[in-house]
Amino acid sequence: LDEETLAEDEPISGVMAEICAEISTNFVQIQKLFCSDSGGCTDLFISEYVEGNSNNKALELYNPTPFPVDLSEYTISTFNNGNTTPTNQDLLQGTLNPGEVYVISHGQASAFITNEADNTSNTTWFNGNDAIALYHNGVLIDIMGVIGYTGDASFDVNGVTEGMSEHTLVRNPLINGG
C-alpha cells in the first residue's frame, strides 16, 4: 500500500495477497485512522485475542503511535479463576515499531500460531472467563474481562453470549486505544 494515496477515514479496497486465501475467503476491509493530538493512538493496546481449542491461544498487541515503543515498559497479566492478583505475568522485551504488532502465543499452540509469535508465554493460559490486562509502567491501559470474576460462564462480547470462549476477537478498526 502506498500510504500517501490513502485518505483518512476512507475504506481501502483492491488489496490482493496470495496468503489471504489460505487463511480466509471472507472480505477484509481496512481503514486508515487519523490520530489527533487530543487523544487516541497514544499507547499500545490489545488488538487481537485468540482463544481456540486446546492450547491454540494468543494475544496481539498493536503500536498505533508514530514512534518505536520500548516494550520493557509493558507487562501483560492474566487473572485466572477469579484471582485478583496475576496468575501469570510477562514483562515484555524489545522494541515495537509504529504500526507493527507483537504476538504472544501459547508454547504448544499450532505451528500456524507459533510461527507468527514474537514470544511464547504462560500469560496465554486463559479461557473465556479469565481477565487479561496490559500495563504501561504499572498503569492499566487495556483489559479484556473483569479482574476477580468468579463465574464459570465466559464473558459476553458485543452482544455475543460467552463471546470470549473459543473465539478469535479482533478490535474494531475504528478503535485506536485501549
Side-chain angles (χ1 to χ4, degrees), residues 44 47 51 86 88 117 122 137-138 142 147 150 164 166-167 171-172:
L44 301 184
S47 54
E51 203 284 296
N88 290 293
N122 290 346
N137 290 324
D142 200 3
I147 295 171
T150 58
M164 270 184 63
E166 305 289 327
H167 285 92
R171 276 266 164 92
N172 181 317

Side-chain angles (χ1 to χ4, degrees), residues 81-150:
N81 304 321
N83 284 333
T84 56
T85 57
T87 307
N88 290 293
Q89 196 166 32
D90 192 12
L91 179 62
L92 304 180
Q93 297 178 9
T95 300
L96 186 58
N97 289 318
E100 291 189 351
V101 296
Y102 184 85
V103 177
I104 305 164
S105 78
H106 189 285
Q108 295 177 343
S110 72
F112 181 77
I113 294 172
T114 57
N115 288 342
E116 297 299 319
D118 297 290
N119 185 20
T120 57
S121 169
N122 290 346
T123 56
T124 58
W125 291 356
F126 53 74
N127 58 35
N129 67 350
D130 299 322
I132 300 158
L134 177 63
Y135 297 89
H136 183 192
N137 290 324
V139 176
L140 180 66
I141 58 170
D142 200 3
I143 189 166
M144 297 185 72
V146 178
I147 295 171
Y149 175 73
T150 58

Side-chain angles (χ1 to χ4, degrees), residues 12-75:
I12 300 168
S13 61
V15 178
M16 300 292 292
E18 290 179 21
I19 192 168
C20 291
E22 295 174 22
I23 299 171
S24 174
T25 57
N26 294 325
F27 177 76
V28 175
Q29 183 178 17
I30 301 169
Q31 193 162 23
K32 179 181 176 183
L33 296 176
F34 173 72
C35 300
S36 69
D37 294 334
S38 62
C41 300
T42 59
D43 215 334
L44 301 184
F45 62 88
I46 301 168
S47 54
E48 189 167 346
Y49 163 92
V50 178
E51 203 284 296
N53 61 358
S54 188
N55 296 319
N56 291 320
K57 301 177 189 316
L59 296 168
E60 177 187 85
L61 307 178
Y62 175 65
N63 178 5
T65 75
F67 308 103
V69 170
D70 178 4
L71 292 175
S72 69
E73 298 177 358
Y74 293 84
T75 305

